[in-house]
Structures are given as structure tokens and as C-alpha cells.
Amino acid sequence: MAKGTRAIDVLRRAGVEFSVHEYQIGETDLSYGEAAAASLGVDSGRVLKTLVAMVDGNPVVGVVPVSRHLSMKRLARAVGGKKATMAEPSDAQRLTGYVVGGISPFGQRRRLPVFVDATAVGYDTIFVSAGRRGLQVEVTPADLMVLTRATEAPIAE
């Protein structure tokens, strides 16, 4: 089993059930999430991407299916703010401690408010980054929500 990421450490310490899945990323893959879904042979609605955005100047995390886009308007509304923009990749990496394409909602360097798209909670299990490119963890939506203190909201389009 893969080891060595803060995300996996968080899940182990919490005592929740999870599975680790490795997959190969091709040099031409533009979407790590879509590559993960294809490699794992699962519906892309079950594979979630973790994105860092700024809402009224404050960092927040949006977790949405890789098959959809994070809506800046919906995220701002969910947070109770006026304007949302994507964080610069360097800021996302600094805030989370993970590289872009491997940002996990678990074990981030700084605990940021997390908003999970409402479609994600309808599955028995979902896949999120385990903290590095080419590595996913499969968890229940309930464990994701509890461990990240997330808010469910319709933030994808």
C-alpha cells in the first residue's frame, strides 16, 4: 500500500475505511482527474478534483467531480461572499502543501473551508487525490464531509 502522504496519514489516524489506488499519468494528459477516472475504470462523477479558490480575498476549497467545472458564482454564493476566482497555482500549493494535480482535501498544510458539490454525496464511495499525482484514495462521502468539516453545496456546473 502506498504511504508517505499527509492525506493517507490523516485517514489512518481517523480510523476510517479507505482504499488507495495508483494510476499512471501520461505526458499528454491535460486533466489529472479524467486520467484517473479512465485508469481506474470508474464513472468520472465519482472522481473528485480539489480546487483552491479565493472568495472575497479569502482562500476556500471546492471539491467537484472531474467531469464538471467549479462555478465561481455558485461557490461565492455558498461561502456567503460576492466574488470568487481561482487561486494562483503557486498560492494553492503554498496553502495546501500539495502540488497542483495532487491537491487532496485531507491533510492540507492550512485548514481551509471546504465545500463539496452536492452530487458527490450520492455515491457509496468517491475518489479524491491522496496527495500526489497518480494516487487516489477511495472513501465514503460521509467520511470526506466529516474529516474536512465540509459543507455540501451545489457548486459545480
mmCIF file of all heavy atoms in Angstrom, residues 98-146:
data_model
loop_
_atom_site.group_PDB
_atom_site.id
_atom_site.type_symbol
_atom_site.label_atom_id
_atom_site.label_comp_id
_atom_site.label_asym_id
_atom_site.label_seq_id
_atom_site.Cartn_x
_atom_site.Cartn_y
_atom_site.Cartn_z
ATOM 1 N N TYR A 98 0.452 20.804 -1.166
ATOM 2 C CA TYR A 98 0.416 19.803 -2.224
ATOM 3 C C TYR A 98 0.657 20.471 -3.579
ATOM 4 O O TYR A 98 0.351 21.649 -3.753
ATOM 5 C CB TYR A 98 -0.952 19.111 -2.283
ATOM 6 C CG TYR A 98 -1.294 18.274 -1.079
ATOM 7 C CD1 TYR A 98 -2.383 18.584 -0.277
ATOM 8 C CD2 TYR A 98 -0.553 17.139 -0.760
ATOM 9 C CE1 TYR A 98 -2.718 17.804 0.813
ATOM 10 C CE2 TYR A 98 -0.887 16.350 0.333
ATOM 11 C CZ TYR A 98 -1.969 16.693 1.113
ATOM 12 O OH TYR A 98 -2.293 15.906 2.191
ATOM 13 N N VAL A 99 1.152 19.684 -4.554
ATOM 14 C CA VAL A 99 1.334 20.211 -5.897
ATOM 15 C C VAL A 99 0.016 20.176 -6.652
ATOM 16 O O VAL A 99 -0.840 19.314 -6.402
ATOM 17 C CB VAL A 99 2.421 19.433 -6.692
ATOM 18 C CG1 VAL A 99 3.778 19.554 -6.035
ATOM 19 C CG2 VAL A 99 2.031 17.990 -6.885
ATOM 20 N N VAL A 100 -0.159 21.116 -7.562
ATOM 21 C CA VAL A 100 -1.356 21.146 -8.398
ATOM 22 C C VAL A 100 -1.441 19.828 -9.164
ATOM 23 O O VAL A 100 -0.447 19.330 -9.678
ATOM 24 C CB VAL A 100 -1.310 22.352 -9.356
ATOM 25 C CG1 VAL A 100 -2.442 22.283 -10.373
ATOM 26 C CG2 VAL A 100 -1.385 23.654 -8.562
ATOM 27 N N GLY A 101 -2.624 19.257 -9.197
ATOM 28 C CA GLY A 101 -2.822 17.946 -9.800
ATOM 29 C C GLY A 101 -2.743 16.837 -8.766
ATOM 30 O O GLY A 101 -3.054 15.699 -9.058
ATOM 31 N N GLY A 102 -2.341 17.200 -7.545
ATOM 32 C CA GLY A 102 -2.250 16.238 -6.456
ATOM 33 C C GLY A 102 -2.762 16.815 -5.153
ATOM 34 O O GLY A 102 -2.432 16.319 -4.078
ATOM 35 N N ILE A 103 -3.563 17.881 -5.241
ATOM 36 C CA ILE A 103 -4.095 18.508 -4.029
ATOM 37 C C ILE A 103 -5.197 17.637 -3.458
ATOM 38 O O ILE A 103 -6.169 17.310 -4.129
ATOM 39 C CB ILE A 103 -4.615 19.932 -4.309
ATOM 40 C CG1 ILE A 103 -3.452 20.834 -4.727
ATOM 41 C CG2 ILE A 103 -5.333 20.506 -3.082
ATOM 42 C CD1 ILE A 103 -3.853 22.243 -5.124
ATOM 43 N N SER A 104 -5.019 17.251 -2.217
ATOM 44 C CA SER A 104 -6.006 16.430 -1.523
ATOM 45 C C SER A 104 -6.820 17.313 -0.582
ATOM 46 O O SER A 104 -6.294 18.277 -0.027
ATOM 47 C CB SER A 104 -5.299 15.345 -0.701
ATOM 48 O OG SER A 104 -6.252 14.582 0.013
ATOM 49 N N PRO A 105 -8.083 16.957 -0.354
ATOM 50 C CA PRO A 105 -8.846 17.688 0.655
ATOM 51 C C PRO A 105 -8.414 17.318 2.078
ATOM 52 O O PRO A 105 -8.727 18.018 3.033
ATOM 53 C CB PRO A 105 -10.292 17.270 0.393
ATOM 54 C CG PRO A 105 -10.189 15.944 -0.291
ATOM 55 C CD PRO A 105 -8.899 15.959 -1.051
ATOM 56 N N PHE A 106 -7.659 16.218 2.210
ATOM 57 C CA PHE A 106 -7.207 15.745 3.523
ATOM 58 C C PHE A 106 -5.767 16.189 3.792
ATOM 59 O O PHE A 106 -4.923 16.128 2.898
ATOM 60 C CB PHE A 106 -7.246 14.211 3.604
ATOM 61 C CG PHE A 106 -8.589 13.604 3.344
ATOM 62 C CD1 PHE A 106 -8.820 12.841 2.213
ATOM 63 C CD2 PHE A 106 -9.636 13.786 4.240
ATOM 64 C CE1 PHE A 106 -10.049 12.259 1.967
ATOM 65 C CE2 PHE A 106 -10.880 13.214 4.011
ATOM 66 C CZ PHE A 106 -11.091 12.457 2.873
ATOM 67 N N GLY A 107 -5.496 16.584 5.022
ATOM 68 C CA GLY A 107 -4.122 16.841 5.430
ATOM 69 C C GLY A 107 -3.487 18.067 4.829
ATOM 70 O O GLY A 107 -2.270 18.115 4.656
ATOM 71 N N GLN A 108 -4.279 19.063 4.523
ATOM 72 C CA GLN A 108 -3.711 20.285 3.970
ATOM 73 C C GLN A 108 -2.899 21.022 5.027
ATOM 74 O O GLN A 108 -3.188 20.947 6.216
ATOM 75 C CB GLN A 108 -4.814 21.180 3.413
ATOM 76 C CG GLN A 108 -5.505 20.547 2.226
ATOM 77 C CD GLN A 108 -6.593 21.414 1.628
ATOM 78 O OE1 GLN A 108 -6.872 22.510 2.098
ATOM 79 N NE2 GLN A 108 -7.218 20.920 0.573
ATOM 80 N N ARG A 109 -1.888 21.730 4.568
ATOM 81 C CA ARG A 109 -1.000 22.474 5.471
ATOM 82 C C ARG A 109 -1.801 23.447 6.339
ATOM 83 O O ARG A 109 -1.538 23.607 7.508
ATOM 84 C CB ARG A 109 0.025 23.245 4.633
ATOM 85 C CG ARG A 109 0.987 24.066 5.463
ATOM 86 C CD ARG A 109 2.044 24.708 4.613
ATOM 87 N NE ARG A 109 2.959 23.671 4.135
ATOM 88 C CZ ARG A 109 3.601 23.725 2.983
ATOM 89 N NH1 ARG A 109 3.431 24.748 2.178
ATOM 90 N NH2 ARG A 109 4.413 22.751 2.628
ATOM 91 N N ARG A 110 -2.762 24.091 5.745
ATOM 92 C CA ARG A 110 -3.613 25.054 6.449
ATOM 93 C C ARG A 110 -5.053 24.601 6.273
ATOM 94 O O ARG A 110 -5.488 24.320 5.160
ATOM 95 C CB ARG A 110 -3.391 26.437 5.836
ATOM 96 C CG ARG A 110 -4.194 27.522 6.454
ATOM 97 C CD ARG A 110 -3.785 28.865 5.859
ATOM 98 N NE ARG A 110 -4.791 29.856 6.154
ATOM 99 C CZ ARG A 110 -4.890 31.018 5.556
ATOM 100 N NH1 ARG A 110 -4.028 31.360 4.631
ATOM 101 N NH2 ARG A 110 -5.843 31.852 5.883
ATOM 102 N N ARG A 111 -5.802 24.513 7.367
ATOM 103 C CA ARG A 111 -7.207 24.082 7.257
ATOM 104 C C ARG A 111 -8.026 25.213 6.635
ATOM 105 O O ARG A 111 -8.168 26.280 7.213
ATOM 106 C CB ARG A 111 -7.789 23.717 8.615
ATOM 107 C CG ARG A 111 -9.208 23.142 8.480
ATOM 108 C CD ARG A 111 -9.796 22.710 9.789
ATOM 109 N NE ARG A 111 -9.269 21.463 10.271
ATOM 110 C CZ ARG A 111 -9.730 20.262 9.927
ATOM 111 N NH1 ARG A 111 -10.721 20.164 9.082
ATOM 112 N NH2 ARG A 111 -9.200 19.175 10.441
ATOM 113 N N LEU A 112 -8.515 24.947 5.453
ATOM 114 C CA LEU A 112 -9.325 25.916 4.720
ATOM 115 C C LEU A 112 -10.779 25.454 4.719
ATOM 116 O O LEU A 112 -11.048 24.258 4.802
ATOM 117 C CB LEU A 112 -8.835 26.027 3.272
ATOM 118 C CG LEU A 112 -7.374 26.439 3.073
ATOM 119 C CD1 LEU A 112 -6.992 26.340 1.602
ATOM 120 C CD2 LEU A 112 -7.141 27.838 3.601
ATOM 121 N N PRO A 113 -11.710 26.386 4.598
ATOM 122 C CA PRO A 113 -13.114 25.975 4.466
ATOM 123 C C PRO A 113 -13.285 25.130 3.201
ATOM 124 O O PRO A 113 -12.778 25.486 2.134
ATOM 125 C CB PRO A 113 -13.877 27.293 4.345
ATOM 126 C CG PRO A 113 -12.951 28.337 4.885
ATOM 127 C CD PRO A 113 -11.560 27.847 4.613
ATOM 128 N N VAL A 114 -13.984 24.007 3.324
ATOM 129 C CA VAL A 114 -14.162 23.076 2.209
ATOM 130 C C VAL A 114 -15.636 23.019 1.841
ATOM 131 O O VAL A 114 -16.503 22.862 2.711
ATOM 132 C CB VAL A 114 -13.644 21.671 2.577
ATOM 133 C CG1 VAL A 114 -13.927 20.672 1.456
ATOM 134 C CG2 VAL A 114 -12.161 21.710 2.911
ATOM 135 N N PHE A 115 -15.900 23.091 0.529
ATOM 136 C CA PHE A 115 -17.256 22.985 0.001
ATOM 137 C C PHE A 115 -17.257 21.859 -1.027
ATOM 138 O O PHE A 115 -16.471 21.872 -1.968
ATOM 139 C CB PHE A 115 -17.698 24.309 -0.633
ATOM 140 C CG PHE A 115 -17.848 25.394 0.393
ATOM 141 C CD1 PHE A 115 -16.738 26.100 0.837
ATOM 142 C CD2 PHE A 115 -19.086 25.668 0.955
ATOM 143 C CE1 PHE A 115 -16.856 27.080 1.816
ATOM 144 C CE2 PHE A 115 -19.215 26.636 1.942
ATOM 145 C CZ PHE A 115 -18.096 27.340 2.370
ATOM 146 N N VAL A 116 -18.119 20.871 -0.806
ATOM 147 C CA VAL A 116 -18.194 19.692 -1.668
ATOM 148 C C VAL A 116 -19.479 19.771 -2.479
ATOM 149 O O VAL A 116 -20.558 20.017 -1.929
ATOM 150 C CB VAL A 116 -18.158 18.396 -0.824
ATOM 151 C CG1 VAL A 116 -18.364 17.168 -1.707
ATOM 152 C CG2 VAL A 116 -16.846 18.293 -0.055
ATOM 153 N N ASP A 117 -19.350 19.550 -3.795
ATOM 154 C CA ASP A 117 -20.525 19.598 -4.649
ATOM 155 C C ASP A 117 -21.562 18.563 -4.211
ATOM 156 O O ASP A 117 -21.216 17.428 -3.862
ATOM 157 C CB ASP A 117 -20.146 19.360 -6.111
ATOM 158 C CG ASP A 117 -21.339 19.577 -7.018
ATOM 159 O OD1 ASP A 117 -21.865 20.706 -7.051
ATOM 160 O OD2 ASP A 117 -21.767 18.603 -7.671
ATOM 161 N N ALA A 118 -22.806 18.967 -4.239
ATOM 162 C CA ALA A 118 -23.910 18.144 -3.751
ATOM 163 C C ALA A 118 -24.027 16.815 -4.493
ATOM 164 O O ALA A 118 -24.509 15.830 -3.920
ATOM 165 C CB ALA A 118 -25.223 18.917 -3.856
ATOM 166 N N THR A 119 -23.563 16.732 -5.737
ATOM 167 C CA THR A 119 -23.678 15.478 -6.486
ATOM 168 C C THR A 119 -22.773 14.382 -5.914
ATOM 169 O O THR A 119 -23.033 13.202 -6.103
ATOM 170 C CB THR A 119 -23.325 15.668 -7.972
ATOM 171 O OG1 THR A 119 -21.974 16.128 -8.079
ATOM 172 C CG2 THR A 119 -24.267 16.657 -8.635
ATOM 173 N N ALA A 120 -21.726 14.773 -5.212
ATOM 174 C CA ALA A 120 -20.747 13.795 -4.718
ATOM 175 C C ALA A 120 -21.289 12.916 -3.599
ATOM 176 O O ALA A 120 -20.828 11.793 -3.427
ATOM 177 C CB ALA A 120 -19.496 14.516 -4.224
ATOM 178 N N VAL A 121 -22.254 13.407 -2.862
ATOM 179 C CA VAL A 121 -22.723 12.662 -1.701
ATOM 180 C C VAL A 121 -23.697 11.546 -2.059
ATOM 181 O O VAL A 121 -24.072 10.756 -1.202
ATOM 182 C CB VAL A 121 -23.341 13.597 -0.626
ATOM 183 C CG1 VAL A 121 -22.317 14.604 -0.144
ATOM 184 C CG2 VAL A 121 -24.576 14.284 -1.158
ATOM 185 N N GLY A 122 -24.050 11.427 -3.317
ATOM 186 C CA GLY A 122 -24.987 10.393 -3.740
ATOM 187 C C GLY A 122 -24.358 9.043 -4.024
ATOM 188 O O GLY A 122 -25.059 8.085 -4.315
ATOM 189 N N TYR A 123 -23.049 8.949 -3.934
ATOM 190 C CA TYR A 123 -22.346 7.695 -4.212
ATOM 191 C C TYR A 123 -22.002 6.962 -2.922
ATOM 192 O O TYR A 123 -21.835 7.585 -1.879
ATOM 193 C CB TYR A 123 -21.052 7.972 -4.991
ATOM 194 C CG TYR A 123 -21.285 8.540 -6.370
ATOM 195 C CD1 TYR A 123 -21.167 9.906 -6.604
ATOM 196 C CD2 TYR A 123 -21.608 7.712 -7.438
ATOM 197 C CE1 TYR A 123 -21.375 10.435 -7.872
ATOM 198 C CE2 TYR A 123 -21.821 8.231 -8.701
ATOM 199 C CZ TYR A 123 -21.701 9.594 -8.919
ATOM 200 O OH TYR A 123 -21.910 10.109 -10.173
ATOM 201 N N ASP A 124 -21.838 5.651 -3.018
ATOM 202 C CA ASP A 124 -21.389 4.877 -1.859
ATOM 203 C C ASP A 124 -19.958 5.248 -1.501
ATOM 204 O O ASP A 124 -19.614 5.395 -0.333
ATOM 205 C CB ASP A 124 -21.483 3.375 -2.127
ATOM 206 C CG ASP A 124 -22.915 2.896 -2.228
ATOM 207 O OD1 ASP A 124 -23.816 3.556 -1.651
ATOM 208 O OD2 ASP A 124 -23.149 1.861 -2.880
ATOM 209 N N THR A 125 -19.107 5.344 -2.528
ATOM 210 C CA THR A 125 -17.721 5.776 -2.322
ATOM 211 C C THR A 125 -17.339 6.739 -3.436
ATOM 212 O O THR A 125 -17.931 6.727 -4.526
ATOM 213 C CB THR A 125 -16.718 4.597 -2.329
ATOM 214 O OG1 THR A 125 -16.752 3.953 -3.590
ATOM 215 C CG2 THR A 125 -17.003 3.626 -1.199
ATOM 216 N N ILE A 126 -16.348 7.571 -3.128
ATOM 217 C CA ILE A 126 -15.817 8.528 -4.089
ATOM 218 C C ILE A 126 -14.296 8.456 -4.046
ATOM 219 O O ILE A 126 -13.711 7.894 -3.119
ATOM 220 C CB ILE A 126 -16.297 9.962 -3.767
ATOM 221 C CG1 ILE A 126 -16.001 10.292 -2.308
ATOM 222 C CG2 ILE A 126 -17.772 10.143 -4.099
ATOM 223 C CD1 ILE A 126 -16.308 11.713 -1.903
ATOM 224 N N PHE A 127 -13.664 9.052 -5.031
ATOM 225 C CA PHE A 127 -12.208 9.071 -5.131
ATOM 226 C C PHE A 127 -11.728 10.516 -5.085
ATOM 227 O O PHE A 127 -12.264 11.371 -5.801
ATOM 228 C CB PHE A 127 -11.753 8.450 -6.453
ATOM 229 C CG PHE A 127 -12.111 7.002 -6.607
ATOM 230 C CD1 PHE A 127 -13.406 6.615 -6.962
ATOM 231 C CD2 PHE A 127 -11.165 6.009 -6.410
ATOM 232 C CE1 PHE A 127 -13.741 5.280 -7.112
ATOM 233 C CE2 PHE A 127 -11.492 4.667 -6.557
ATOM 234 C CZ PHE A 127 -12.775 4.302 -6.907
ATOM 235 N N VAL A 128 -10.727 10.785 -4.258
ATOM 236 C CA VAL A 128 -10.078 12.099 -4.211
ATOM 237 C C VAL A 128 -8.572 11.874 -4.207
ATOM 238 O O VAL A 128 -8.095 10.782 -3.897
ATOM 239 C CB VAL A 128 -10.502 12.934 -2.972
ATOM 240 C CG1 VAL A 128 -11.990 13.255 -3.004
ATOM 241 C CG2 VAL A 128 -10.128 12.235 -1.682
ATOM 242 N N SER A 129 -7.846 12.912 -4.504
ATOM 243 C CA SER A 129 -6.394 12.786 -4.519
ATOM 244 C C SER A 129 -5.878 12.369 -3.147
ATOM 245 O O SER A 129 -6.341 12.848 -2.117
ATOM 246 C CB SER A 129 -5.748 14.105 -4.921
ATOM 247 O OG SER A 129 -4.338 13.988 -4.834
ATOM 248 N N ALA A 130 -4.884 11.505 -3.170
ATOM 249 C CA ALA A 130 -4.237 11.059 -1.931
ATOM 250 C C ALA A 130 -3.038 11.936 -1.583
ATOM 251 O O ALA A 130 -2.305 11.636 -0.655
ATOM 252 C CB ALA A 130 -3.795 9.605 -2.068
ATOM 253 N N GLY A 131 -2.847 13.005 -2.333
ATOM 254 C CA GLY A 131 -1.777 13.935 -2.001
ATOM 255 C C GLY A 131 -0.616 13.957 -2.961
ATOM 256 O O GLY A 131 0.365 14.646 -2.740
ATOM 257 N N ARG A 132 -0.740 13.224 -4.039
ATOM 258 C CA ARG A 132 0.256 13.333 -5.109
ATOM 259 C C ARG A 132 -0.375 12.868 -6.413
ATOM 260 O O ARG A 132 -1.363 12.112 -6.410
ATOM 261 C CB ARG A 132 1.525 12.567 -4.780
ATOM 262 C CG ARG A 132 1.453 11.080 -4.879
ATOM 263 C CD ARG A 132 2.861 10.464 -4.859
ATOM 264 N NE ARG A 132 2.806 9.172 -5.482
ATOM 265 C CZ ARG A 132 2.941 8.032 -4.839
ATOM 266 N NH1 ARG A 132 3.184 8.033 -3.551
ATOM 267 N NH2 ARG A 132 2.854 6.898 -5.484
ATOM 268 N N ARG A 133 0.182 13.326 -7.505
ATOM 269 C CA ARG A 133 -0.327 12.930 -8.823
ATOM 270 C C ARG A 133 -0.171 11.424 -8.986
ATOM 271 O O ARG A 133 0.838 10.852 -8.599
ATOM 272 C CB ARG A 133 0.444 13.653 -9.915
ATOM 273 C CG ARG A 133 0.218 15.138 -9.907
ATOM 274 C CD ARG A 133 1.096 15.824 -10.927
ATOM 275 N NE ARG A 133 0.991 17.271 -10.787
ATOM 276 C CZ ARG A 133 1.912 18.113 -11.179
ATOM 277 N NH1 ARG A 133 3.015 17.674 -11.772
ATOM 278 N NH2 ARG A 133 1.740 19.415 -11.003
ATOM 279 N N GLY A 134 -1.194 10.800 -9.540
ATOM 280 C CA GLY A 134 -1.146 9.368 -9.772
ATOM 281 C C GLY A 134 -1.575 8.520 -8.592
ATOM 282 O O GLY A 134 -1.409 7.308 -8.614
ATOM 283 N N LEU A 135 -2.152 9.162 -7.566
ATOM 284 C CA LEU A 135 -2.557 8.428 -6.369
ATOM 285 C C LEU A 135 -3.898 8.968 -5.875
ATOM 286 O O LEU A 135 -4.034 10.160 -5.621
ATOM 287 C CB LEU A 135 -1.488 8.590 -5.288
ATOM 288 C CG LEU A 135 -1.547 7.637 -4.092
ATOM 289 C CD1 LEU A 135 -1.296 6.195 -4.541
ATOM 290 C CD2 LEU A 135 -0.487 8.044 -3.070
ATOM 291 N N GLN A 136 -4.872 8.081 -5.762
ATOM 292 C CA GLN A 136 -6.210 8.437 -5.293
ATOM 293 C C GLN A 136 -6.561 7.614 -4.066
ATOM 294 O O GLN A 136 -6.084 6.487 -3.918
ATOM 295 C CB GLN A 136 -7.255 8.144 -6.380
ATOM 296 C CG GLN A 136 -7.122 8.962 -7.636
ATOM 297 C CD GLN A 136 -7.737 10.326 -7.493
ATOM 298 O OE1 GLN A 136 -8.880 10.467 -7.080
ATOM 299 N NE2 GLN A 136 -6.985 11.350 -7.847
ATOM 300 N N VAL A 137 -7.410 8.173 -3.205
ATOM 301 C CA VAL A 137 -7.987 7.397 -2.118
ATOM 302 C C VAL A 137 -9.485 7.304 -2.357
ATOM 303 O O VAL A 137 -10.120 8.256 -2.802
ATOM 304 C CB VAL A 137 -7.705 7.984 -0.705
ATOM 305 C CG1 VAL A 137 -6.261 7.782 -0.327
ATOM 306 C CG2 VAL A 137 -8.102 9.427 -0.597
ATOM 307 N N GLU A 138 -10.020 6.143 -2.077
ATOM 308 C CA GLU A 138 -11.454 5.894 -2.183
ATOM 309 C C GLU A 138 -12.016 5.911 -0.777
ATOM 310 O O GLU A 138 -11.557 5.161 0.091
ATOM 311 C CB GLU A 138 -11.696 4.536 -2.840
ATOM 312 C CG GLU A 138 -13.150 4.197 -3.055
ATOM 313 C CD GLU A 138 -13.326 2.849 -3.750
ATOM 314 O OE1 GLU A 138 -12.324 2.159 -4.014
ATOM 315 O OE2 GLU A 138 -14.488 2.485 -4.008
ATOM 316 N N VAL A 139 -12.975 6.794 -0.538
ATOM 317 C CA VAL A 139 -13.577 6.971 0.785
ATOM 318 C C VAL A 139 -15.084 7.137 0.624
ATOM 319 O O VAL A 139 -15.582 7.341 -0.485
ATOM 320 C CB VAL A 139 -13.004 8.220 1.523
ATOM 321 C CG1 VAL A 139 -11.516 8.086 1.770
ATOM 322 C CG2 VAL A 139 -13.301 9.500 0.755
ATOM 323 N N THR A 140 -15.798 7.087 1.729
ATOM 324 C CA THR A 140 -17.222 7.405 1.656
ATOM 325 C C THR A 140 -17.384 8.918 1.646
ATOM 326 O O THR A 140 -16.556 9.638 2.228
ATOM 327 C CB THR A 140 -18.001 6.835 2.862
ATOM 328 O OG1 THR A 140 -17.573 7.502 4.046
ATOM 329 C CG2 THR A 140 -17.810 5.329 2.987
ATOM 330 N N PRO A 141 -18.435 9.399 1.010
ATOM 331 C CA PRO A 141 -18.689 10.839 1.054
ATOM 332 C C PRO A 141 -18.844 11.348 2.496
ATOM 333 O O PRO A 141 -18.389 12.447 2.823
ATOM 334 C CB PRO A 141 -19.987 11.006 0.267
ATOM 335 C CG PRO A 141 -20.025 9.831 -0.646
ATOM 336 C CD PRO A 141 -19.386 8.715 0.131
ATOM 337 N N ALA A 142 -19.449 10.526 3.363
ATOM 338 C CA ALA A 142 -19.642 10.937 4.762
ATOM 339 C C ALA A 142 -18.297 11.164 5.447
ATOM 340 O O ALA A 142 -18.135 12.147 6.184
ATOM 341 C CB ALA A 142 -20.453 9.894 5.520
ATOM 342 N N ASP A 143 -17.326 10.284 5.211
ATOM 343 C CA ASP A 143 -16.008 10.474 5.821
ATOM 344 C C ASP A 143 -15.323 11.715 5.276
ATOM 345 O O ASP A 143 -14.672 12.452 6.017
ATOM 346 C CB ASP A 143 -15.135 9.233 5.617
ATOM 347 C CG ASP A 143 -15.571 8.068 6.490
ATOM 348 O OD1 ASP A 143 -16.218 8.297 7.543
ATOM 349 O OD2 ASP A 143 -15.274 6.908 6.131
ATOM 350 N N LEU A 144 -15.463 11.963 3.985
ATOM 351 C CA LEU A 144 -14.911 13.192 3.409
ATOM 352 C C LEU A 144 -15.509 14.418 4.096
ATOM 353 O O LEU A 144 -14.781 15.325 4.505
ATOM 354 C CB LEU A 144 -15.184 13.257 1.905
ATOM 355 C CG LEU A 144 -14.848 14.595 1.228
ATOM 356 C CD1 LEU A 144 -13.348 14.859 1.241
ATOM 357 C CD2 LEU A 144 -15.389 14.625 -0.187
ATOM 358 N N MET A 145 -16.814 14.411 4.246
ATOM 359 C CA MET A 145 -17.501 15.566 4.834
ATOM 360 C C MET A 145 -17.069 15.795 6.281
ATOM 361 O O MET A 145 -16.793 16.918 6.692
ATOM 362 C CB MET A 145 -19.015 15.388 4.749
ATOM 363 C CG MET A 145 -19.569 15.241 3.337
ATOM 364 S SD MET A 145 -19.269 16.640 2.264
ATOM 365 C CE MET A 145 -20.375 17.835 2.990
ATOM 366 N N VAL A 146 -17.011 14.729 7.055
ATOM 367 C CA VAL A 146 -16.681 14.846 8.477
ATOM 368 C C VAL A 146 -15.220 15.241 8.679
ATOM 369 O O VAL A 146 -14.918 16.170 9.436
ATOM 370 C CB VAL A 146 -17.000 13.533 9.232
ATOM 371 C CG1 VAL A 146 -16.417 13.548 10.634
ATOM 372 C CG2 VAL A 146 -18.502 13.315 9.291
#
